[in-house]
Amino acid sequence: MAPDFSFLTTARMAARITYLRNETLRTVKPDYPGNKLFGSQFANGEALYTPQFSNVFRWKFLTENPQKEEKKADTWTPDVVNCSEFLAGQDDGLVWLGHATFVLRTENTTLLFDPLLFDSAFLKRRHPLPCRPEELTNIDLLLLSHGHRDHLDEASIKLVARQNPGLQVLTSLRMTPLLRGMAAGLQVQEAGWWQQYDLGPEAPLEIYYLPAAHWHRRGLNDLNQVLWGSFLIRTQDKLIYFGGDSAYADHFEDIERQFGPIDICLLGIGAYKPAFMMQLSHTNPHEAAKAANVLRAGHLVPMHHGTFDLSDEPASEPLRTLQDVATGGMLRAELHAPQVGEVLPWTTWE
């Protein structure tokens, strides 16, 4: 069941409503005016989502996790295999590096999604990276879905930019100042929802920036100042969808309506408990399966689980639940649960 957005601030609020998009890019959805702004804040379609500090306080200080002991005892982590040979080679493939970080190679182009390569004070990796960060070279396109720190990591951006001087970044509206503060020389192309990036007339790929039900904040005064979203890549007669961070909402139906069946979906399945805190930010395993069904996906690769401890569910629960959903016939896509670092031969999938 989709989350109830009825309590969110809507167009009846007093803030001036405008629309924003990159006017130099093609907008593929007919009559779409751009992303709605309430004053200076981006919205989820028609609704402005403002995270409530009271929910954080309730989660951390007023609510005890009913699965506390189960979570403590659950030490599961994804298996890890080294992917250095793939990174150094030229073969096509899709590799999960953990959390929401993927490397995709196709059409002699290497794409890196939402790199988080290092630990920080608040994010401690539960399993090793399947390569040395220094091996992430020859990256052509860096795709950044949104600005949260578990998807946009400053140390990782600096390293990737330094090691790939010709890199082009594809990301969201108003992200450039944030990125240039991390690596001044980055080539950044911003897009709003339903816009196609300009990769040049000879580009073998088409890449689109699409909706997600999420929000932005990195500091005290930047709430929803930078847009969030998802990506669609058209390559070798296949459509690959990277969902970024998103709650379940009607944008999945809109995407299927615009593009038709999706061949491969990369969707988050973790960080969903407690629901009062997480349901407007992430999909749980049942919602991810529903999203894949709505997208008429042929294949589903889960992400956003197992790498970091972000929420109350036990570590192994997201994948176990999704596997149960698939075994029970409630997932129409073929489920792939790769090891971290495993090379998926996606070009052979029908």
Side-chain angles (χ1 to χ4, degrees), residues 40-52:
S40 63
Q41 292 192 40
F42 287 107
N44 279 315
E46 298 300 310
L48 177 64
Y49 171 41
T50 302
Q52 300 296 317

Side-chain angles (χ1 to χ4, degrees), residues 307-324:
T307 302
F308 299 103
D309 181 7
L310 301 176
S311 52
D312 281 358
E313 72 270 7
S316 66
E317 183 181 281
L319 184 56
R320 282 190 289 107
T321 302
L322 183 61
Q323 289 170 332
D324 289 344

Side-chain angles (χ1 to χ4, degrees), residues 3-276:
D4 180 7
F5 286 90
S6 63
F7 70 91
L8 304 180
T9 308
T10 65
R12 292 188 294 274
M13 70 180 293
R16 184 170 62 94
I17 295 173
T18 57
Y19 296 87
L20 184 66
R21 63 184 176 185
N22 184 340
E23 296 296 341
T24 69
L25 296 182
R26 175 182 173 227
T27 299
V28 298
K29 187 176 183 180
D31 303 318
Y32 185 68
N35 282 90
K36 179 174 281 190
L37 288 161
F38 291 92
S40 63
Q41 292 192 40
F42 287 107
N44 279 315
E46 298 300 310
L48 177 64
Y49 171 41
T50 302
Q52 300 296 317
F53 176 76
S54 59
N55 279 340
V56 180
F57 187 85
R58 175 185 170 191
W59 176 31
K60 292 298 185 182
F61 300 107
L62 301 181
T63 305
E64 184 171 357
N65 180 6
Q67 294 179 282
K68 181 179 179 180
E69 294 305 317
E70 181 184 354
K71 178 179 177 179
K72 184 177 179 180
D74 190 339
T75 59
W76 175 87
T77 58
D79 292 334
V80 179
V81 295
N82 187 276
C83 62
S84 298
E85 183 177 351
F86 170 79
L87 295 176
Q90 300 294 323
D91 292 342
D92 286 353
L94 175 69
V95 177
W96 183 41
L97 302 188
H99 199 53
T101 305
F102 286 87
V103 174
L104 171 67
R105 189 180 295 123
T106 178
E107 301 283 6
N108 296 313
T109 305
T110 302
L111 298 79
L112 176 64
F113 296 77
D114 287 3
L116 180 49
L117 310 174
F118 304 103
D119 287 351
S120 68
F122 302 103
L123 290 169
K124 301 297 183 183
R125 188 175 291 270
R126 300 180 61 253
H127 61 75
L129 199 68
C131 61
R132 293 184 299 110
E134 291 76 19
E135 293 174 316
L136 287 168
T137 58
N138 300 311
I139 305 296
D140 300 293
L141 298 172
L142 174 60
L143 278 61
L144 300 174
S145 65
H146 68 291
H148 281 154
R149 294 176 189 272
D150 63 321
H151 292 253
L152 177 60
D153 172 62
E154 182 169 357
S156 301
I157 296 298
K158 287 180 176 178
L159 177 78
V160 171
R162 184 169 64 250
Q163 295 181 169
N164 300 275
L167 182 76
Q168 183 174 14
V169 180
L170 306 181
T171 188
S172 61
L173 297 174
R174 292 184 177 167
M175 185 71 85
T176 300
L178 181 58
L179 292 175
R180 294 269 172 82
M182 299 176 184
L186 280 176
Q187 303 175 50
V188 182
Q189 189 173 158
E190 298 182 351
W193 292 352
W194 304 109
Q195 293 202 288
Q196 180 179 356
Y197 293 97
D198 182 3
L199 303 180
E202 305 300 323
L205 308 177
E206 295 175 9
I207 302 181
Y208 304 85
Y209 195 62
L210 299 178
H214 204 58
W215 52 287
H216 170 86
R217 170 168 266 165
R218 286 179 73 89
L220 295 177
N221 300 311
D222 65 344
L223 179 63
N224 296 336
Q225 298 296 308
V226 177
L227 186 59
W228 51 91
S230 57
F231 292 98
L232 185 71
I233 298 94
R234 188 189 300 273
T235 174
Q236 300 186 24
D237 298 322
K238 283 186 168 58
L239 292 174
I240 302 175
Y241 178 69
F242 174 81
D245 269 359
S246 182
Y248 187 87
D250 59 9
H251 63 281
F252 295 113
E253 295 179 9
D254 293 340
I255 291 168
E256 190 281 328
R257 192 176 299 117
Q258 180 70 36
F259 291 98
I262 305 300
D263 295 288
I264 303 164
C265 285
L266 315 179
L267 295 174
I269 63 168
Y272 54 87
K273 288 183 178 179
F276 69 78

